[in-house]
């Protein structure tokens, strides 16, 4: 027959289980507002029954309380984090695209392109019909200067925005490093608690999951946790947690973690003519290899910031090495992309830049541009003789290898908008100057202007202005020369200082023009704003510049907002699904409180009843 006191022990196990359930319920209620907390449940099972060789067979022995376990669905976690990376990327794009759009738009307080361009045309119209007063020439020159100042200011604002994004990139990298360190520390703490026991470090695992949620917004992540086995293949209770980012680059492996660092580019390491100084490249500190952040499958806030900073619409320098001259330390590269054959669309640094050939960086001092009679385009880069820069000498093995400058980022970011501004400024200045320097061009004083231009650019190095002798459409030039339209940017766009100082030197007509009020040069310049035969920008007339730019900005902002809304809705749905599983519900916990309280009371009552039985048996039963 079973032990006389079996019932007491059975009731006691029920009392212990109910007590543990009540304590767990109290913990859930206490953490109802704790971010990242997962609801816990007591795991229990029926105790192994006792077998008796009597008619009733086995006798139950109560309940075994195994421990408190988190209620969590790993599938929902993975889905949430994958979506969180996409949402983080679009959040950054939506914010900065809205800023870019606001910079481009006209407003009531800040004169924009449309207002200033119209003012310039109006000033030229007045000048064409008022030839006797120098004040009209002064007004036209002032209007042109205001247009230049608009481009200068917009260029500076976009560069400042690029610098701000660059600073935020470093903040995000520092955050990745901090999270990696914390996760590695948590991995160790979890294993200390769980190794050799059946205990689960619930709170520590919640902290790690919360960090994974945070990290997934910054960069796409993947992770795996596997059991650690002993020499005999038996589970030890310990686990190994491996975390990767950027499509598979190792960040955390158990207790070990890797760190990233932001390395600012030197002035001679620029990859884009319009970039601000000190843009960061991201490297692994242990290997020195660059983080593959530009990959097409990468997502997250960091990827969004990189695309906003470096996005060039996929128009980067790319070609094949055709020859190497070891005597002159130069390398010639053939390019086939149309935008690389056009001065007005040039974006590569004119001097002191870097080019990657066959996977190795080489630094150049300047380059020669040539288009031959067959229409083939070549860039010959004159490499630096400084061995601290070029540690590897170029040789003939480079022939046939690919050559690139910068990354091809298929997004319209700051780099793209700066290039578009430069393209318009170069084309407009060239077209304007070509008409302005017509044969026989004569100024107010009746003097020939001898090819003196109207628009130019300020040389920040020596305070002079560019002569702009190398025309848009030229088939050869050297980038180190200060005489070409390739030197002109929206940031240095200006009116010839001679005209600002003395408006009477402005060319208004050609020598053949008859009559005091017939200013043929001015009338020809007026036609430039709408005549696409004289100037075309992306298939539109000169005055449609802002429409083209705003269309790009509005489309990018709209796309970012649309994707942001989509991913935000998905995130909310997934988060609600996760909370329905792992979140603490006050009503549910209140119901559990009553249920476990009743279980505790019944177990206590059972012990009390059995106590009376044993008292009767022991004290009132005698021989």
């Amino acid at each position: 027959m079973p032990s006389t006191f079996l019932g007491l022990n059975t009731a006691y196990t029920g009392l212990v289980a109910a007590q543990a359930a009540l304590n767990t319920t109290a913990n859930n209620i206490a953490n109802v507002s704790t971010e990242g907390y997962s609801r816990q449940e007591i795991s229990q099972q029926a105790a192994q029954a006792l077998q008796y060789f009597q008619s009733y067979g086995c006798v139950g022995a109560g309940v075994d309380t195994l421990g408190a376990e988190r209620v969590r669905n790993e599938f929902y976690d993975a889905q949430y984090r994958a979506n969180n990376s996409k949402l983080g990327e679009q959040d950054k794009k939506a914010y900065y695209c809205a800023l870019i759009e606001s910079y481009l738009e006209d407003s009531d307080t800040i004169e924009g392109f449309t207002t200033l361009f119209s003012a310039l045309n109006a000033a030229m119209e007045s000048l064409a019909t008022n030839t006797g007063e120098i004040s009209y020439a002064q007004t036209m020159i002032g209007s042109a200067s205001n247009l230049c100042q608009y481009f200068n200011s917009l260029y500076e604002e976009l560069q400042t925005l690029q610098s701000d994004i660059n600073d935020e990139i470093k903040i995000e990298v520092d955050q990745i490093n901090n999270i990696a360190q914390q996760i590695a520390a948590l991995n160790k703490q979890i294993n200390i608690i769980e190794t050799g026991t059946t205990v689960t470090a619930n709170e520590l695992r919640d902290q790690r999951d919360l960090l994974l949620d945070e990290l997934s917004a910054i960069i796409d992540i993947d992770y795996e946790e596997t059991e650690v086995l002993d020499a005999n293949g038996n589970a030890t209770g310990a686990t190994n947690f491996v975390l990767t980012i950027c499509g598979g680059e190792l960040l955390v492996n158990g207790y070990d973690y890797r760190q990233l660092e932001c390395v600012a580019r030197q002035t001679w390491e620029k990859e884009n003519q319009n970039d601000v100084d000190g843009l960061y490249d991201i490297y692994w500190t242990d290997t020195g290899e660059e983080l593959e952040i530009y990959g097409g499958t990468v997502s997250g806030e960091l990827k969004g910031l990189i695309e906003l900073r470096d996005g060039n619409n996929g128009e980067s320098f790319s070609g094949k090495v055709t020859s190497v001259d070891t005597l002159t330390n130069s390398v010639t590269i053939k390019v086939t992309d149309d935008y690389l054959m056009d001065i007005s669309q040039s974006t590569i640094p004119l001097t002191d830049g870097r080019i990657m050939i066959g996977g190795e960086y080489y630094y150049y001092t300047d380059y020669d541009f040539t288009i031959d009679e067959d229409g083939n385009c070549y860039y010959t880069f004159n490499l630096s003789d400084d061995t601290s820069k070029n540690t590897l000498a170029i040789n003939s093995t480079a022939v046939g290898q690919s050559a690139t400058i910068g990354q091809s980022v298929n997004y319209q970011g700051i780099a793209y908008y700066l290039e578009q501004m430069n393209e318009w400024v170069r084309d407009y200045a060239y077209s304007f100057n070509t008409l302005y320097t017509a044969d026989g061009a004569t100024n107010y004083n009746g003097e020939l202007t001898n090819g003196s231009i109207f628009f130019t650019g300020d040389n920040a190095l020596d305070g002079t202005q560019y002569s702009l002798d190398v025309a848009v459409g030229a088939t050869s030039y050297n980038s180190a020369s200060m005489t070409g339209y390739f030197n002109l940017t929206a940031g240095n766009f200006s009116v010839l200082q001679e005209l600002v100082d003395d408006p009477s030197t402005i060319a208004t007509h050609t020598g053949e023009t008859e009559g005091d009020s017939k200013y043929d040069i001015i009338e020809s310049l007026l036609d430039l704003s709408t005549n696409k035969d004289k100037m075309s920008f992306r298939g539109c007339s000169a005055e449609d510049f802002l429409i083209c730019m705003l269309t790009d900005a509005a489309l990018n902002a709209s796309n970012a907002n649309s994707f942001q809304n989509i991913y935000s809705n998905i995130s909310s749905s997934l988060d609600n699904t996760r909370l329905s599983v792992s979140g603490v519900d006050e009503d549910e916990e209140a119901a559990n409180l009553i249920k476990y309280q009743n279980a505790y009371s019944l177990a206590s009552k059972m012990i009390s009843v059995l106590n009376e039985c044993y008292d009767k048996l022991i004290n009132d039963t005698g021989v």
Side-chain angles (χ1 to χ4, degrees):
M1 63 178 293
S3 169
T4 302
F5 297 99
L6 176 62
L8 184 63
N9 186 72
T10 301
Y12 170 73
T13 62
L15 189 68
V16 170
Q19 179 69 57
L22 283 170
N23 292 338
T24 302
T25 301
N27 188 41
N28 288 341
I29 293 172
N31 288 281
V32 67
S33 299
T34 302
E35 184 182 6
Y37 176 79
S38 300
R39 178 170 60 90
Q40 297 179 13
E41 286 183 348
I42 288 297
S43 176
Q44 59 186 47
Q45 66 183 20
Q48 186 173 358
L50 303 177
Q51 186 173 2
Y52 291 96
F53 298 99
Q54 278 123 3
S55 59
Y56 46 81
C58 297
V59 175
V63 62
D64 286 336
T65 303
L66 303 178
E69 295 183 352
R70 298 191 308 161
V71 180
R72 193 117 186 171
N73 189 305
E74 293 183 0
F75 174 78
Y76 293 145
D77 285 340
Q79 292 294 307
Y80 175 82
R81 289 161 188 160
N83 181 78
N84 204 31
S85 297
K86 299 173 183 177
L87 176 59
E89 178 180 339
Q90 298 305 324
D91 279 342
K92 293 300 181 184
K93 288 181 176 179
Y95 173 75
Y96 283 107
C97 283
L99 284 180
I100 294 172
E101 190 175 17
S102 68
Y103 289 156
L104 293 172
E105 287 178 336
D106 283 350
S107 69
D108 295 333
T109 55
I110 301 175
E111 289 186 311
F113 173 82
T114 302
T115 303
L116 294 173
F117 197 67
S118 298
L120 175 59
N121 286 327
M124 286 192 289
E125 287 180 357
S126 298
L127 177 60
T129 56
N130 295 273
T131 61
E133 298 184 31
I134 197 68
S135 61
Y136 287 97
Q138 193 169 11
T139 299
M140 175 194 164
I141 294 170
S143 297
S145 295
N146 289 338
L147 180 65
C148 293
Q149 185 60 44
Y150 164 80
F151 279 99
N152 299 162
S153 298
L154 182 57
Y155 189 88
E156 182 179 353
E157 286 177 338
L158 289 178
Q159 282 199 320
T160 300
L161 188 60
Q162 187 183 47
S163 181
D164 292 342
I165 293 172
N166 190 54
D167 292 338
E168 191 168 354
I169 287 172
K170 188 176 189 309
I171 293 173
E172 297 281 17
V173 169
D174 290 342
Q175 187 66 5
I176 291 174
N177 290 337
N178 182 44
I179 291 175
Q181 185 176 4
Q182 291 184 65
I183 289 177
L186 285 169
N187 290 342
K188 186 173 184 178
Q189 295 175 47
I190 289 169
N191 275 349
I192 289 174
I193 293 173
E194 296 182 351
T195 301
T197 70
T198 59
V199 176
T200 302
N202 294 320
E203 283 71 17
L204 295 178
R205 287 181 172 273
D206 280 344
Q207 292 177 36
R208 187 171 68 184
D209 281 328
L210 188 59
L211 289 172
L212 291 175
D213 288 347
E214 184 179 349
L215 182 61
S216 68
I218 301 173
I219 195 71
D220 61 290
I221 64 173
D222 195 14
Y223 50 91
E224 183 179 16
E225 187 174 16
T226 56
E227 289 186 344
V228 175
L229 305 178
D230 61 18
N232 298 320
N234 299 319
T236 62
T239 59
N240 186 54
F241 186 85
V242 177
L243 172 64
T244 59
I245 62 174
C246 282
E249 298 199 51
L250 182 65
L251 181 65
V252 177
N253 185 8
Y255 310 153
D256 300 322
Y257 61 93
R258 302 175 70 195
Q259 295 280 274
L260 294 164
E261 63 176 339
C262 289
V263 179
R265 297 173 192 166
Q266 301 294 325
T267 55
W268 40 271
E269 292 180 315
K270 278 192 173 184
E271 297 178 343
N272 190 300
Q273 181 183 9
N274 306 305
D275 284 343
V276 297
D277 292 336
L279 292 188
Y280 291 119
D281 291 320
I282 307 172
Y283 294 91
W284 292 105
T285 57
D286 55 352
T287 64
E289 295 179 353
E290 193 167 357
L291 179 70
E292 295 294 335
I293 190 64
Y294 294 96
T297 60
V298 179
S299 58
E301 293 176 355
L302 185 58
K303 176 63 177 295
L305 292 171
I306 289 290
E307 289 193 339
L308 285 161
R309 187 193 72 177
D310 300 338
N312 51 28
N313 205 32
E315 296 182 353
S316 63
F317 182 92
S318 178
K320 291 287 186 181
V321 177
T322 58
S323 65
V324 172
D325 189 335
T326 56
L327 294 178
T328 60
N329 197 24
S330 62
V331 56
T332 300
I333 298 163
K334 180 180 180 180
V335 299
T336 56
D337 295 309
D338 291 339
Y339 60 85
L340 294 175
M341 305 180 190
D342 187 350
I343 285 178
S344 64
Q345 297 184 53
S346 175
T347 60
I348 64 175
L350 300 176
T351 58
D352 297 327
R354 68 178 180 182
I355 182 170
M356 179 172 283
I357 302 174
E360 295 288 342
Y361 279 126
Y362 291 90
Y363 299 90
Y364 64 87
T365 56
D366 60 292
Y367 64 84
D368 293 295
F369 170 90
T370 305
I371 298 179
D372 64 18
E373 296 178 353
D374 298 324
N376 298 313
C377 184
Y378 299 92
Y379 284 75
T380 299
F381 291 90
N382 302 307
L383 303 182
S384 173
D385 294 326
D386 188 344
T387 55
S388 66
K389 296 178 181 178
N390 289 326
T391 56
L392 294 175
I394 195 75
N395 56 56
S396 59
T397 59
V399 175
Q401 293 184 342
S402 61
T404 59
I405 298 178
Q407 296 285 342
S408 177
V409 183
N410 194 21
Y411 185 78
Q412 294 176 349
I414 301 295
Y416 168 77
Y417 290 107
L418 292 175
E419 183 278 324
Q420 290 289 289
M421 291 167 59
N422 288 355
E423 182 180 347
W424 188 91
V425 163
R426 290 166 180 169
D427 284 344
Y428 185 73
Y430 171 70
S431 300
F432 195 102
N433 288 343
T434 300
L435 297 173
Y436 182 79
T437 56
D439 290 341
T442 306
N443 63 23
Y444 253 88
N445 303 319
E447 302 168 340
L448 294 176
T449 58
N450 298 318
S452 178
I453 59 178
F454 186 92
F455 284 115
T456 182
D458 297 325
N459 186 348
L461 296 177
D462 57 13
T464 62
Q465 291 183 309
Y466 299 114
S467 61
L468 303 185
D469 296 328
V470 180
V472 169
T475 58
S476 66
Y477 65 88
N478 176 262
S479 67
S481 68
M482 298 296 179
T483 60
Y485 280 87
F486 47 82
N487 289 293
L488 189 59
T489 70
N492 61 33
F493 188 36
S494 63
V495 174
L496 189 70
Q497 189 60 41
E498 178 186 345
L499 295 173
V500 176
D501 295 339
D502 185 2
S504 68
T505 60
I506 186 174
T508 57
H509 61 285
T510 58
E512 293 80 12
T513 302
E514 299 292 338
D516 226 9
S517 62
K518 185 64 175 175
Y519 276 25
D520 58 332
I521 289 181
I522 302 302
E523 289 183 350
S524 180
L525 292 175
L526 269 171
D527 190 40
L528 178 61
S529 62
T530 57
N531 191 334
K532 290 191 287 186
D533 291 332
K534 292 183 176 180
M535 177 189 167
S536 176
F537 177 74
R538 292 168 55 177
C540 301
S541 61
E543 66 179 2
D544 291 331
F545 160 77
L546 187 64
I547 295 176
C548 294
M549 293 283 281
L550 273 176
T551 299
D552 292 335
L555 183 59
N556 290 332
S558 176
N559 287 339
N561 287 326
S562 296
F563 283 116
Q564 183 191 40
N565 289 332
I566 291 171
Y567 293 130
S568 180
N569 291 334
I570 294 174
S571 180
S572 296
S573 177
L574 288 171
D575 196 35
N576 289 335
T577 302
R578 289 205 309 172
L579 287 174
S580 69
V581 175
S582 61
V584 178
D585 183 270
E586 295 176 356
D587 294 335
E588 184 178 350
E589 296 304 321
N592 287 339
L593 187 62
I594 296 173
K595 180 174 69 174
Y596 298 138
Q597 181 186 18
N598 290 337
Y600 188 88
S601 297
L602 287 172
S604 300
K605 182 65 174 175
M606 188 70 234
I607 291 174
S608 177
V609 169
L610 288 173
N611 181 59
E612 292 180 7
C613 293
Y614 297 143
D615 180 66
K616 174 65 70 175
L617 176 65
I618 295 171
N619 296 323
D620 294 344
T621 301
V623 178

